Amino acid sequence: MRTKACVMFNGKEIPGREQTVLDPAGCGPDVAEVSDNEVLRQAFVYVTLEVEDPRLALLQKLLLSYKVDWQERRWDEYTDEEYEAARLILVTETIDVFVAGGPRFGTDYDLSSACPACGAGMRQTSAYVLAGIYPELIGRLEEYRAVDSYSEILVDERLADILEGAGISGLSFRSVYSLQKDNRQIKLPWRQMWASHTLPPMSPRSTGIESDEVCKSCRRGKYHTTSKQPTRIAYRAQDLFGAKDVNRMWEHFGDVRWTGDLKTAVLGQPYFLVTPKVWRIFRDAGVTGFQWLPIRVVEDE
């Protein structure tokens, strides 16, 4: 595993522009990218380095000396060998594969067990419905073999057949429809992944998780990951007993808009946790646009 950092700042805030700090820090075009934006009158500079690289601390010191504000994002990168050795792998989305869907577009839910404050725990009772009124998003179904919709994973029928044929435990599928402007629902050649098993809460030794906005009512909803440090999800070994090839987390991640009305709701759903067997199938199928993060197994707290 390698941990990397990306430092982002405005080069026009520095006398002599970004080279004033890049050159003495030894950050050339192999690690630094500059994008001028004439409209915003800014020069966006992105410097990507491994956290152990001495150039990172030197660059930060130079930015401080010129009183330049910067943002920093950190993440882990893993080898195939580390994925293969993982107990479970967290699957998180990127904006590249996002497609709008859910309750606002006709997906039905049972609210009997839902948290009244954030909606966590409501149970889907229908096929999954996407927003066909946004053609620029629906077009991603032609570009990718798997897409994300508020942490729900949708796969094309060919990939669904491969997963079914592989005997993946804990996995079933639901149909996917597209809501049209005239309110018709058209069935799509896609399937929604459905997990039968939910893991217990993650270990408090997990890092890269923001919990300041976590629902005060159920403590289950409104979790977020943070770019300030790498996301590292940990579980106690005893909490992994009974885990399947495909599982959902207990925690619900993402933005939430919930007033009790499904027609206006935005629901943050639990992330998927899968075995290397599932990761391998996605990799071999050429699936891109998702992040895969091996979990950590820790001793009892």
Side-chain angles (χ1 to χ4, degrees):
M1 181 193 76
R2 298 185 304 171
T3 302
K4 303 187 80 172
C6 181
V7 176
M8 298 159 280
F9 60 94
N10 178 13
K12 289 190 175 181
E13 293 183 358
I14 306 171
R17 292 277 303 253
E18 62 277 351
Q19 294 305 325
T20 302
V21 296
L22 293 180
D23 287 345
C27 297
D30 57 321
V31 296
E33 177 184 349
V34 181
S35 176
D36 280 297
N37 188 309
E38 297 301 331
V39 176
L40 297 178
R41 298 180 180 179
Q42 293 185 354
F44 296 107
V45 183
Y46 306 88
V47 181
T48 303
L49 296 162
E50 293 189 29
V51 295
E52 295 86 1
D53 193 315
R55 291 178 293 178
L56 178 60
L58 180 54
L59 175 63
Q60 293 168 331
K61 183 177 179 180
L62 287 165
L63 291 171
L64 280 172
S65 68
Y66 284 99
K67 299 181 180 179
V68 175
D69 293 327
W70 76 86
Q71 294 180 321
E72 189 171 319
R73 182 171 68 90
R74 296 195 173 205
W75 69 95
D76 294 327
E77 292 184 351
Y78 299 88
T79 65
D80 283 358
E81 290 75 17
E82 288 170 318
Y83 285 123
E84 293 284 5
R87 179 64 180 86
L88 290 173
I89 303 171
L90 176 73
V91 189
T92 62
E93 76 288 349
T94 66
I95 193 64
D96 294 338
V97 294
F98 172 76
V99 178
R104 288 178 294 157
F105 308 103
T107 309
D108 292 326
Y109 296 81
D110 176 1
L111 307 180
S112 60
S113 299
C115 171
C118 72
M122 64 174 61
R123 185 173 62 87
Q124 183 181 328
T125 57
S126 71
Y128 196 77
V129 185
L130 296 175
I133 56 177
Y134 300 134
E136 70 279 8
L137 297 182
I138 288 294
R140 290 173 179 168
L141 302 185
E142 299 178 358
E143 185 178 356
Y144 295 94
R145 298 202 61 185
V147 296
D148 164 86
S149 185
Y150 300 104
S151 298
E152 299 292 353
I153 298 178
L154 315 178
V155 299
D156 64 29
E157 287 188 329
R158 290 180 300 152
L159 183 51
D161 289 342
I162 294 172
L163 290 164
E164 283 187 318
I168 302 299
S169 64
L171 175 66
S172 59
F173 294 94
R174 292 195 171 191
S175 298
V176 178
Y177 286 77
S178 173
L179 178 66
Q180 306 300 295
K181 290 183 178 180
D182 59 6
N183 289 325
R184 289 182 301 120
Q185 291 186 5
I186 298 177
K187 190 174 183 179
L188 300 174
W190 281 68
R191 309 286 292 280
Q192 177 192 9
M193 291 178 57
W194 191 259
S196 61
H197 185 70
T198 298
L199 289 175
M202 60 185 169
S203 166
R205 293 167 66 179
S206 300
T207 61
I209 304 296
E210 289 185 347
S211 56
D212 293 345
E213 298 181 5
V214 168
C215 178
K216 294 180 174 58
S217 178
C218 68
R219 303 300 299 176
R220 187 177 185 183
K222 299 186 179 181
Y223 282 86
H224 294 271
T225 58
T226 175
S227 61
K228 297 177 182 178
Q229 56 181 321
T231 299
R232 296 172 180 169
I233 301 296
Y235 281 92
R236 299 184 303 170
Q238 67 186 54
D239 289 335
L240 298 178
F241 292 144
K244 309 297 183 182
D245 286 321
V246 175
N247 313 271
R248 297 298 287 263
M249 294 185 71
W250 181 84
E251 295 82 2
H252 289 237
F253 283 78
D255 295 326
V256 173
R257 185 167 69 233
W258 175 242
T259 61
D261 183 1
L262 287 173
K263 294 181 180 179
T264 61
V266 174
L267 304 175
Q269 298 291 6
Y271 284 141
F272 279 86
L273 288 161
V274 304
T275 59
K277 181 179 180 180
V278 178
W279 164 79
R280 196 180 309 117
I281 291 173
F282 273 69
R283 179 200 61 186
D284 294 345
V287 171
T288 59
F290 290 85
Q291 294 179 320
W292 305 82
L293 305 173
I295 69 165
R296 302 185 174 207
V297 181
V298 298
E299 299 296 329
D300 295 348
E301 288 86 5

